[in-house]
Amino acid sequence: MEKHFFLEDQRIIDAIQSGTGKDKSAALKELYRSYFPLIKNFILKNKGRIEDVEDIYQETLLVVYNQIKSGKFRGDSSLKTFIYVIARNIWFKELRKHSKQIREISEIEQEETIELPLADLEHQQNKIGLIEKLIELLSEDCKAILLDFYYNNLGMKDIMSKFNLGSEQAAKNKKYRCLQSLIKLVTQKGITLDYIH
Amino acid sequence: MSEELENIEKYLSGTLNEEERKAFESRLESDTDFAKSVEALRLAMEGIHNFGLRQELKEIGAEMNEELLSFKRKNPKRVWLFIGGVAATLTILIAVLHYLSQTSSTTQLFQSYFQPYPNLITTRSSDQSDIKEAFQNYSHQNFKEALKGFESAVLERNRNDTLLFYAGVSALADGTHEKAIDYLSALSEIKSEFNQQGNWYLALAYVLGDDIEEARQILNRIRPDEYEYRASRELLELLD
C-alpha cells in the first residue's frame, strides 16, 4: 500500500485510541490486511512455514494493538517498521524455542534497529496468556458476558436483554459473579504473586 | 464483595474522585491482600481484553482465508490457461459457462477437479496391438475408444492393475461413472503403484455419480503425503 503512511498511521492510531467499537474493528482489519504480506514474506524467508504465519502475525498484532492503545507506541517510527520489529522479535523467540541454529539467527539479529522494552513486555504477555487460558474454563455465558462488557463495551442494559436477565441489577450481579470466578481462578494459579513488589 | 470489586474497577478505569482515589491508594500501600486483589482484577480485565482481541484477529484471518480460497475455487485451471494461451482461455471459458448453465453442482465440481491422468506407459513393440491402440487413443483423448480397448484387455489379462486404472480414468473422462467405479474399486482391492491415484479418481467417480457420502469417505482416507491430498481437502470442504 503506497501512501503517505505517517498520515495514515495517525488515522489508525486515533481510531484505536479513541474510536468507537466499530472504528477500532475497522482499524484492526485495515492493519491486518495492510501488513500481512510483509510479515508473511519475512517469516517464510526466515525458516518459517506457511503454517507459522497466521499465529505469529496475530500474536504480533495483539502486541501492536495494545501498545498503540496504551499510548506506548509514540510514533517514533512508522507503524510498518514497528509491526515488522515486533514480528521479528516474536518469530525469532519462537525459532529459538525450536531450533538449534542459534548462531545463524543471531547473525540476522544484528540488523536490529529499534530497541523495545521486550523483556518486560514478554513477562506481561506470558502472564496474560495464562489468564486467557483460564477464561476458556469459564461457562459460555460468563465468557460472553465478560467479553461483551470489557471488550465490546456493551452497557448493562444491552447485556440484560441479550442474555435474558430480568433487570439491570441482575445483569450486574451476573457479571460480577463471572468476574469473581475468573479472579478466583487467577489467584488459585498464583499468577499475581510474583508481581507485587 | 461486589462493592469492593466495583470500587477497584472504578479505580482502574480512573473514574474515582480525588478523595476516593487517595483513600484507595493509601489502602493499596498498607494492605497487601488488597493490593493482590487489585492486581488480580487488573490482570483479569486485561486477559479478557486480549481474549476478545485474539478472537477478532482470528476472525479477520479466517475471513481472508475464505476470500483466498474462493478465489482459487473460481480459478482452478489457472495454470492451464497460461499454457493454453488465449485461444484455450476462450474455449474453456465458453465451456465453463456452458456447464454452469446446464449441469448440476456435483457435475460442476467434478469438471473443475477432473484432469485425465497423463499417459505414463510406454508401450513396447512386443506389446499386443490392442493395448497399444488403447493407449494411443487415450493419449489422443479418444476416451470412448480407449475405454473399449482397455475393457477387453482387462478381461483378457486377468485384471492387470495398470489396465484397470486406465480403464477407470477413461470411463470417467467419457462420463460413465458406473464403469469407472467398477474398475477403480477393483483396483483398490489389489496392491498397485496406482492405488493412490486410483482412490482420487474413484472419489471423483462418486462425485460424478452424485454419491456424496461414498466420495467423502474415500477423500477422508487420503493422507497428507498421498496423491492430490490438497485437492481432496478442498473438495471435501466443497462437498459439505
Side-chain angles (χ1 to χ4, degrees):
Chain A
M1 290 185 102
E2 285 303 316
K3 50 195 171 191
H4 310 90
F5 63 44
F6 277 86
L7 268 181
E8 288 298 305
D9 282 4
Q10 198 51 52
R11 193 171 50 74
I12 288 178
I13 292 166
D14 289 345
I16 291 175
Q17 283 178 343
S18 47
T20 62
K22 234 183 190 162
D23 293 340
K24 285 178 195 167
S25 291
L28 192 63
K29 203 179 263 187
E30 193 179 334
L31 266 187
Y32 199 112
R33 286 171 183 264
S34 302
Y35 302 109
F36 184 75
L38 175 79
I39 304 308
K40 179 177 157 191
N41 284 339
F42 164 72
I43 292 173
L44 293 183
K45 274 188 198 148
N46 287 282
K47 305 171 198 295
R49 291 165 310 167
I50 192 77
E51 301 91 275
D52 301 316
V53 174
E54 237 175 63
D55 281 351
I56 298 297
Y57 189 55
Q58 287 172 6
E59 192 63 35
T60 302
L61 286 192
L62 190 93
V63 174
V64 168
Y65 185 96
N66 286 338
Q67 293 274 309
I68 295 174
K69 194 172 167 51
S70 62
K72 282 177 193 145
F73 171 70
R74 293 186 201 286
D76 302 331
S77 67
S78 68
L79 263 180
K80 185 177 173 180
T81 311
F82 186 60
I83 289 173
Y84 187 73
V85 172
I86 302 265
R88 295 170 61 108
N89 276 296
I90 291 176
W91 174 237
F92 286 144
K93 196 181 98 198
E94 188 68 20
L95 270 185
R96 252 179 250 120
K97 254 194 257 168
H98 299 291
S99 158
K100 285 167 191 122
Q101 297 160 303
I102 292 171
R103 203 181 54 83
E104 269 176 71
I105 293 163
S106 64
E107 274 167 19
I108 312 171
E109 192 88 330
Q110 286 168 3
E111 298 166 17
E112 183 85 21
T113 48
I114 296 180
E115 289 295 324
L116 291 168
L118 277 168
D120 190 37
L121 196 67
E122 229 169 74
H123 184 65
Q124 279 284 75
Q125 274 311 115
N126 289 343
K127 210 182 315 190
I128 292 166
L130 279 176
I131 292 173
E132 285 181 63
K133 295 213 173 70
L134 296 179
I135 293 172
E136 289 286 5
L137 302 176
L138 297 175
S139 71
E140 287 306 314
D141 257 13
C142 270
K143 242 188 277 183
I145 287 176
L146 291 178
L147 275 177
D148 274 341
F149 188 79
Y150 290 103
Y151 185 71
N152 299 322
N153 295 322
L154 287 193
M156 277 304 162
K157 264 213 181 86
D158 299 321
I159 290 181
M160 171 189 100
S161 51
K162 186 170 168 186
F163 295 91
N164 276 329
L165 297 160
S167 65
E168 239 176 280
Q169 190 55 44
K172 226 171 173 177
N173 291 342
K174 172 88 177 159
K175 188 212 102 187
Y176 272 115
R177 274 199 301 280
C178 293
L179 190 59
Q180 278 291 4
S181 32
L182 177 58
I183 289 176
K184 208 164 154 194
L185 285 171
V186 172
T187 35
Q188 268 171 11
K189 301 284 169 191
I191 289 177
T192 62
L193 292 181
D194 67 313
Y195 197 77
I196 303 297
H197 309 291
Chain B
M1 191 59 204
S2 150
E3 246 168 58
E4 186 176 280
L5 264 181
E6 203 165 350
N7 211 31
I8 298 176
E9 217 173 280
K10 275 187 186 156
Y11 170 74
L12 289 172
S13 59
T15 49
L16 285 182
N17 67 36
E18 187 64 18
E19 201 180 322
E20 289 167 329
R21 191 176 57 81
K22 276 187 180 150
F24 190 97
E25 278 169 357
S26 75
R27 185 172 171 202
L28 205 54
E29 267 169 39
S30 59
D31 185 343
T32 326
D33 282 344
F34 181 65
K36 274 183 194 169
S37 4
V38 173
E39 183 57 16
L41 181 60
R42 195 189 65 76
L43 282 170
M45 281 164 63
E46 216 166 311
I48 296 165
H49 167 79
N50 275 13
F51 190 89
L53 187 52
R54 204 181 292 276
Q55 266 187 357
E56 197 170 345
L57 285 165
K58 277 185 189 150
E59 278 161 24
I60 298 172
E63 200 181 288
M64 268 180 75
N65 284 338
E66 186 49 44
E67 281 167 21
L68 213 66
L69 200 63
S70 71
F71 175 76
K72 279 187 189 155
R73 268 180 223 150
K74 281 180 203 144
N75 302 273
K77 291 182 171 158
R78 252 184 0 227
V79 181
W80 296 108
L81 295 186
F82 278 114
I83 296 169
V86 178
T89 311
L90 287 175
T91 319
I92 290 170
L93 272 178
I94 291 164
V96 166
L97 284 176
H98 189 65
Y99 284 130
L100 286 178
S101 62
Q102 294 206 327
T103 53
S104 73
S105 66
T106 45
T107 318
Q108 278 173 35
L109 267 186
F110 171 79
Q111 293 294 355
S112 17
Y113 283 90
F114 175 76
Q115 294 276 354
Y117 196 73
N119 176 9
L120 302 179
I121 310 299
T122 33
T123 46
R124 289 171 300 239
S125 53
S126 60
D127 282 337
Q128 291 180 14
S129 60
D130 61 330
I131 296 185
K132 246 190 275 182
E133 202 184 315
F135 274 111
Q136 251 165 30
N137 277 324
Y138 186 88
S139 297
H140 292 130
Q141 311 213 331
N142 298 327
F143 295 115
K144 210 180 262 315
E145 288 306 310
L147 177 59
K148 274 187 200 157
F150 287 129
E151 272 186 313
S152 57
V154 162
L155 287 176
E156 278 170 36
R157 283 165 194 77
N158 205 19
R159 299 160 86 78
N160 165 290
D161 65 317
T162 307
L163 293 174
L164 276 174
F165 175 69
Y166 280 98
V169 179
S170 302
L172 208 46
D174 191 39
T176 45
H177 61 269
E178 298 93 341
K179 277 188 181 170
I181 290 172
D182 283 349
Y183 291 125
L184 294 169
S185 337
L187 173 68
S188 73
E189 282 155 20
I190 54 183
K191 196 166 150 46
S192 157
E193 57 180 320
F194 287 107
N195 280 144
Q196 290 182 15
Q197 291 89 328
N199 281 337
W200 165 247
Y201 283 104
L202 183 55
L204 284 179
Y206 281 118
V207 170
L208 186 61
D210 217 6
D211 190 343
I212 305 302
E213 204 29 61
E214 201 62 41
R216 214 182 265 148
Q217 276 185 21
I218 294 169
L219 290 169
N220 265 322
R221 283 199 295 266
I222 296 180
R223 290 195 310 265
D225 55 335
E226 291 185 346
Y227 184 72
E228 291 288 24
Y229 170 72
R230 216 181 251 261
S232 71
R233 290 289 114 179
E234 255 179 59
L235 190 51
L236 261 177
E237 220 174 279
L238 294 172
L239 287 175
D240 274 339

